[in-house]
Amino acid sequence: MTVALLISLRMSLTVSLLVLIFISGVVAQDGWAVHYNPKYICALNGSTVTMKCMYRYLVIDSSQNSFWSTIRSSDEDLLNDPYYRDRVQYHGDQQQSTLRLMNVTEKDQSTYHCRYKDDRFRGRYRDRGVDLSVTDLQVEVPERVIEGDKVTLTCKTTCSLTVQPTFTWYRNGRYLSSSTDQLHLQPVSRKDAGRYRCAVLGQDLRSPEVTLNVRYGPKSISVSISPSGKIVEGSSVTLTCSSDANPPVEYNWIKGTTIVGKGKTYTMKEISSVDSGQYKCRSSNEHGEKLSEALTLNVLYPPKSISVSFTFSGETLEGSSVTLTCSSDATVQNYTWFKEGESSPVGPRKSYSFIVDSKSSGWYYCLAQNDHGSIKSAAVPVIIKEYSIILYVVVGVGLCGVATLIAVVFLMNKKMKKKRTMEEDDQNVDPNAKDDTYTALDPVSRSSDDLYNTLANVDPNAKDDTYTALDPMSRSSDDVYNTLATVHCSPSDDLYSALDPQSRSPEYDTLAVSESTCTDECFVAAGTDRL
């Protein structure tokens, strides 16, 4: 049983050994074998690769009897193939053979085999050979990058490189310090935008350039005006706005709070004075917006309106100070004051001040002038006010008021006396007479005898009868009638003459004395009581 166990174990080891031999290389019928190291190669496009095969249980002169072939070369020596001839080198000894293939490309992707020129081995074996893959370097970037994000760029290949190289990075052709297959931009800014590529340090193996596009809102904005310099009404003006942003922005032109235009440029043809003001440009995209500083547009134009203000109301007293001020809607270089009737200007400034006298009295106007035109104001009067005439008028109006008051008092006294006289007459009338005063006096309803008797009953000597007292035929020279006639002003007396001591009549003095010295006797003589 022990012998059987040993035999079984020996058979198992033999089988395992044969499997390993078949896996690692080629086993010939008489026990020799070929091994490849490595069995798979991933190389960069344009690089140089090296393949090796080792012999086991076989001693040959590999420098003369071994060669390499591919399916492409129909198992013929690569040195005989024009496609490979200039890029292939063989090296080896009695134990191994080496293939050096330079400047590999994707067309070189294939399986490479080690062969021998000895006819003893032709067709007596099959090997797996070495598989070659060729790849390019590629830079992988995120599809959408916004300023402030954390971004990593990766240098990638389509297969895992057999030999791991040292990488380097370039942006816009300039070397960056990173030495790994990844470039970290954390956080990314708009300054990081550009063309990137990775490469193998020390070799001329570079990836194609890729562009990193960093999106951000407007960061700077400026406005300009064309043409520069003075802007005259009627000319054409163009405003231009510039902004740093990604993606491109939308431009809006704002005057005050109103949007007046859109686009990078804003053109105003035949500009007018109403276009003067402050303009701003607003730049905006999906990531933000920014407003420019205000651009002041000052349109020059000739004066279109003019106004005059003054420190009086048209008339002023002689010796007073007067200031005339001229104003215009335009920018005016020169204001000039003129007096109508005079050819020379009287004042060269916006305001003109002077003292009013007989020579300065008159009409004045202003002329506003700039480089683009002029305008003349309406004339305003500066007239001396006649003080003495006004004083006379005021005094005359005052005296008329006093005279009117005196007349009113006189009429009231007269009315009261009339009423009192009528009451006394009623007491002296015939008792048979009718009570109605108007009926008694009515000629239609009364006979001639009645009217006579009524009048006959009145005492002819009664002093209280107002009408009798005022009758010039029944009054003596001492009566108050004559007194009143004496103090009465004649119609020819002029109001202004009454105030003139040289032309005043004697009756004026009489009236003044009578008014101040009249006693109760005056009122008794007039047949009435003192008020």
Side-chain angles (χ1 to χ4, degrees):
M1 185 175 180
T2 302
V3 175
L5 181 60
L6 291 174
I7 293 172
S8 176
L9 180 60
R10 183 176 179 181
M11 292 294 293
S12 298
L13 291 174
T14 302
V15 172
S16 299
L17 181 59
L18 290 174
V19 172
L20 289 175
I21 291 174
F22 274 106
I23 292 175
S24 61
V26 176
V27 179
Q29 294 178 352
D30 52 1
W32 61 271
V34 178
H35 302 278
Y36 293 95
N37 184 29
K39 299 181 180 68
Y40 174 79
I41 296 176
C42 175
L44 291 172
N45 193 356
S47 64
T48 298
V49 297
T50 300
M51 305 177 195
K52 291 182 179 181
C53 71
M54 294 177 292
Y55 317 123
R56 185 176 182 181
Y57 307 118
L58 180 66
V59 178
I60 63 173
D61 186 359
S62 62
S63 61
Q64 296 182 3
N65 297 319
S66 64
F67 65 93
W68 290 79
S69 67
T70 66
I71 297 176
R72 177 187 176 89
S73 63
S74 301
D75 288 335
E76 295 296 328
D77 192 344
L78 296 180
L79 291 175
N80 297 327
D81 188 336
Y83 178 74
Y84 288 102
R85 181 183 303 159
D86 297 332
R87 299 185 294 127
V88 170
Q89 293 179 354
Y90 293 157
H91 300 280
D93 53 27
Q94 295 181 350
Q95 297 296 321
Q96 63 179 9
S97 178
T98 302
L99 169 64
R100 181 178 175 85
L101 181 60
M102 296 172 287
N103 193 22
V104 296
T105 66
E106 292 182 356
K107 291 183 178 180
D108 296 327
Q109 295 183 125
S110 184
T111 302
Y112 291 79
H113 301 275
C114 185
R115 293 288 186 260
Y116 307 99
K117 296 180 180 180
D118 194 330
D119 292 337
R120 293 178 301 167
F121 310 111
R122 186 177 298 276
R124 297 176 58 188
Y125 60 89
R126 293 290 184 270
D127 58 18
R128 295 180 54 191
V130 178
D131 292 327
L132 174 63
S133 295
V134 179
T135 182
D136 286 319
L137 292 175
Q138 297 289 339
V139 176
E140 183 181 61
V141 298
E143 182 177 351
R144 182 181 176 89
V145 177
I146 300 175
E147 187 173 38
D149 291 348
K150 294 181 178 180
V151 175
T152 298
L153 307 184
T154 304
C155 190
K156 297 184 68 175
T157 59
T158 57
C159 57
S160 180
L161 294 175
T162 302
V163 178
Q164 189 68 28
T166 300
F167 291 96
T168 187
W169 288 88
Y170 295 87
R171 181 178 65 219
N172 299 328
R174 293 189 176 184
Y175 171 76
L176 300 177
S177 60
S178 179
S179 60
T180 66
D181 62 342
Q182 289 187 327
L183 177 65
H184 301 284
L185 303 173
Q186 299 180 356
V188 69
S189 72
R190 67 183 187 279
K191 295 180 180 179
D192 295 322
R195 295 173 286 106
Y196 286 82
R197 70 169 30 166
C198 63
V200 175
L201 184 64
Q203 299 183 44
D204 190 20
L205 302 175
R206 298 183 179 185
S207 71
E209 284 188 331
V210 295
T211 300
L212 176 64
N213 184 27
V214 180
R215 305 169 70 93
Y216 56 95
K219 294 297 181 181
S220 62
I221 185 171
S222 61
V223 293
S224 60
I225 184 171
S226 177
S228 59
K230 294 182 178 180
I231 301 171
V232 181
E233 188 175 44
S235 62
S236 178
V237 174
T238 298
L239 306 181
T240 303
C241 188
S242 300
S243 178
D244 175 23
N246 185 33
V249 297
E250 177 182 307
Y251 294 102
N252 287 285
W253 291 95
I254 302 172
K255 181 184 179 185
T257 58
T258 304
I259 296 178
V260 295
K262 293 185 177 183
K264 186 179 180 68
T265 60
Y266 174 54
T267 300
M268 291 172 280
K269 297 181 179 180
E270 296 184 0
I271 195 168
S272 67
S273 58
V274 296
D275 295 317
S276 295
Q278 290 190 334
Y279 290 80
K280 294 182 180 181
C281 173
R282 184 174 64 197
S283 170
S284 60
N285 63 12
E286 59 187 285
H287 303 292
E289 68 176 40
K290 193 173 182 65
L291 200 64
S292 72
E293 295 292 332
L295 174 67
T296 301
L297 188 62
N298 184 24
V299 180
L300 302 178
Y301 58 96
K304 297 181 180 180
S305 64
I306 190 170
S307 61
V308 174
S309 61
F310 38 83
T311 57
F312 66 101
S313 59
E315 295 184 350
T316 185
L317 298 178
E318 185 173 7
S320 299
S321 176
V322 171
T323 298
L324 305 177
T325 302
C326 191
S327 300
S328 176
D329 60 329
T331 301
V332 176
Q333 284 88 20
N334 297 308
Y335 286 100
T336 307
W337 283 96
F338 293 88
K339 182 182 178 184
E340 288 189 346
E342 297 183 7
S343 58
S344 300
V346 296
R349 296 181 179 84
K350 183 174 183 178
S351 296
Y352 173 51
S353 299
F354 58 96
I355 302 299
V356 178
D357 55 22
S358 59
K359 293 182 178 180
S360 62
S361 179
W363 291 76
Y364 291 81
Y365 64 90
C366 168
L367 183 67
Q369 200 171 22
N370 63 16
D371 294 336
H372 312 288
S374 62
I375 190 172
K376 175 183 174 182
S377 73
V380 295
V382 179
I383 308 299
I384 297 177
K385 186 181 294 184
E386 296 293 341
Y387 177 77
S388 58
I389 295 177
I390 295 175
L391 179 61
Y392 290 157
V393 172
V394 172
V395 173
V397 171
L399 291 177
C400 287
V402 173
T404 301
L405 180 62
I406 294 174
V408 170
V409 172
F410 177 76
L411 292 175
M412 290 178 65
N413 288 335
K414 183 177 179 180
K415 185 176 181 179
M416 291 177 66
K417 289 188 292 180
K418 180 179 178 181
K419 182 178 180 181
R420 186 176 299 170
T421 301
M422 292 177 65
E423 291 177 354
E424 293 176 354
D425 289 344
D426 291 340
Q427 294 177 0
N428 296 326
V429 173
D430 186 1
N432 296 322
K434 292 182 179 180
D435 294 335
D436 184 72
T437 304
Y438 300 102
T439 304
L441 296 177
D442 187 1
V444 178
S445 61
R446 301 285 297 200
S447 65
S448 59
D449 293 336
D450 293 336
L451 178 61
Y452 177 79
N453 291 333
T454 301
L455 295 175
N457 290 331
V458 179
D459 186 3
N461 298 320
K463 304 295 183 179
D464 295 332
D465 188 353
T466 303
Y467 301 99
T468 304
L470 295 176
D471 187 359
M473 304 302 299
S474 61
R475 301 292 294 182
S476 66
S477 60
D478 296 332
D479 292 336
V480 69
Y481 178 83
N482 293 331
T483 303
L484 293 173
T486 302
V487 301
H488 178 66
C489 295
S490 65
S492 62
D493 290 341
D494 184 81
L495 178 61
Y496 298 100
S497 299
L499 298 175
D500 188 353
Q502 302 297 328
S503 60
R504 192 167 57 195
S505 65
E507 286 81 1
Y508 178 83
D509 295 331
T510 304
L511 177 61
V513 172
S514 300
E515 182 180 1
S516 60
T517 59
C518 186
T519 62
D520 293 339
E521 295 176 356
C522 296
F523 294 94
V524 173
T528 184
D529 293 334
R530 185 183 184 92
L531 292 178

